[in-house]
Amino acid sequence: MATLTRPKSPRPPVSAKKDEKDESFWEKIGTLGRKKRIKEVQEVEQEGKYAIDSPGTPYNPDLAPEECNLEENEERSMIEPQSFDDPKLNELIFVLIEWINDELADQRIIVKDLQEDLYDGQILQKLLEKLNREKLDVPEVTQSEEGQKQKLTIVLEAVNKALNLPRWNAQWNVESIHRKELVPILHLLVSLVRNFRAPIRLPENVSVGMVVVQKKEGTLSHRMVKEEITTTYDDLGMRCERDAFDTLFDHHPDKLQVVKKTLSTWI
């Protein structure tokens, strides 16, 4: 019986194994790099949570990793949740929303949420144009983040110019507005109300508790601050100090007639 001899399979080129080894090597390097980046983000996130959860902090907010991933010496602030229970803060937000909607009613613009509706600069542009009676040379609609920030830069520069403020203002900037931070948005709107003498009455002495997180030497630290949003104003909208008569009205209104009688006798 004849025996069939099976031909030997051709030996693969040596270079193929080398390519496989090279590919495997670079895949491993890429995997290690990704793991290292993930580990760094996790470490920064843990540092941020520790800074917030450390003793002396009255609450424990949920922070996304991107909120904790700060550059060296960079700061990020957030409102204490308890501040949203303050009726004055809620009244201020309500009054500002109603004011914007009244101003822009002829353009059929309705604002429901200050943070979600104002961050891209579109409504801020319309509001400033209405108040200042001057059109801004900016694109009408921008979808990309870069385009939104470019537009917001032009709008905020125009706002600061109308308010006679420096080009770069400490109370608000492009990044804070675009990040939908409520406090800078409130500062901006309150300044517009006061400057353009809006026919509304803002609640006075509104302040919020803030947690400021900062990265120093690779470590996140935090501090608690009180941020004043509105103060005491007179009838013309200018800031003023409270005097003895204000105290009398607040605490002893029953003695008002006595004071009036005394003053009339003295005069």
Side-chain angles (χ1 to χ4, degrees):
M1 185 174 181
T3 303
L4 297 177
T5 304
R6 179 177 295 178
K8 295 182 179 180
S9 299
R11 181 177 297 176
V14 177
S15 59
K17 287 187 177 181
K18 184 177 179 181
D19 291 342
E20 290 176 2
K21 289 182 179 179
D22 290 344
E23 183 179 359
S24 177
F25 172 77
W26 290 114
E27 284 179 352
K28 289 179 180 179
I29 291 296
T31 302
L32 290 174
R34 287 192 296 272
K35 288 182 177 179
K36 183 178 180 181
R37 287 194 296 271
I38 293 172
K39 184 179 180 182
E40 289 176 350
V41 171
Q42 290 174 342
E43 288 176 351
V44 172
E45 181 181 1
Q46 289 300 321
E47 289 180 5
K49 289 184 177 180
Y50 175 78
I52 299 300
D53 296 340
S54 57
T57 305
Y59 74 99
N60 178 20
D62 293 326
L63 293 178
E66 60 270 17
E67 292 295 325
C68 298
N69 193 12
L70 306 180
E71 299 294 334
E72 185 66 21
N73 294 321
E74 184 182 356
E75 287 187 351
R76 192 71 55 84
S77 60
M78 59 211 78
I79 300 177
E80 287 183 296
Q82 294 92 329
S83 293
F84 289 103
D85 296 330
D86 184 357
K88 281 189 174 183
L89 175 60
N90 290 311
E91 181 187 356
L92 175 62
I93 294 172
F94 174 79
V95 169
L96 291 173
I97 290 177
E98 290 293 299
W99 169 62
I100 296 173
N101 288 336
D102 287 343
E103 290 289 342
L104 302 180
D106 59 336
Q107 302 183 46
R108 298 183 179 181
I109 293 176
I110 298 177
V111 171
K112 296 182 179 180
D113 187 295
L114 294 179
Q115 294 162 274
E116 294 296 331
D117 295 338
L118 271 62
Y119 79 97
D120 61 357
Q122 182 75 16
I123 292 179
L124 283 176
Q125 172 201 345
K126 300 297 183 183
L127 179 62
L128 182 62
E129 288 177 343
K130 178 69 178 295
L131 296 173
N132 216 23
R133 299 180 181 179
E134 183 179 346
K135 294 286 290 183
L136 296 179
D137 185 16
V138 292
E140 281 299 317
V141 179
T142 54
Q143 298 295 335
S144 67
E145 179 178 340
E146 181 181 359
Q148 289 174 352
K149 288 185 176 181
Q150 289 176 352
K151 177 173 184 172
L152 194 54
T153 299
I154 298 173
V155 173
L156 293 185
E157 286 179 356
V159 167
N160 292 346
K161 182 179 179 181
L163 299 176
N164 293 318
L165 295 175
R167 184 178 180 184
W168 303 110
N169 182 37
Q171 289 188 317
W172 59 78
N173 55 51
V174 172
E175 292 299 327
S176 62
I177 299 296
H178 196 266
R179 280 199 302 261
K180 307 178 184 179
E181 295 183 15
L182 180 60
V183 169
I185 293 174
L186 291 177
H187 276 308
L188 189 155
L189 294 176
V190 168
S191 296
L192 288 175
V193 168
R194 307 314 304 176
N195 183 77
F196 289 99
R197 299 294 190 268
I200 61 174
R201 183 174 182 82
L202 297 176
E204 298 182 342
N205 301 316
V206 178
S207 61
V208 295
M210 301 287 294
V211 179
V212 181
V213 180
Q214 184 179 29
K215 187 173 184 179
K216 284 186 177 181
E217 298 179 355
T219 302
L220 294 177
S221 61
H222 79 286
R223 66 182 187 275
M224 313 295 294
V225 298
K226 204 76 170 177
E227 185 79 10
E228 182 185 77
I229 307 298
T230 67
T231 182
T232 303
Y233 304 98
D234 62 12
D235 292 338
L236 297 177
M238 302 300 292
R239 181 172 181 159
C240 67
E241 299 296 333
R242 295 178 65 82
D243 56 20
F245 287 99
D246 293 313
T247 304
L248 181 64
F249 278 114
D250 291 341
H251 302 288
H252 302 286
D254 55 309
K255 297 182 179 180
L256 183 59
Q257 293 300 325
V258 177
V259 174
K260 284 183 176 180
K261 185 177 180 180
T262 303
L263 289 176
S264 61
T265 303
W266 181 74
I267 293 173

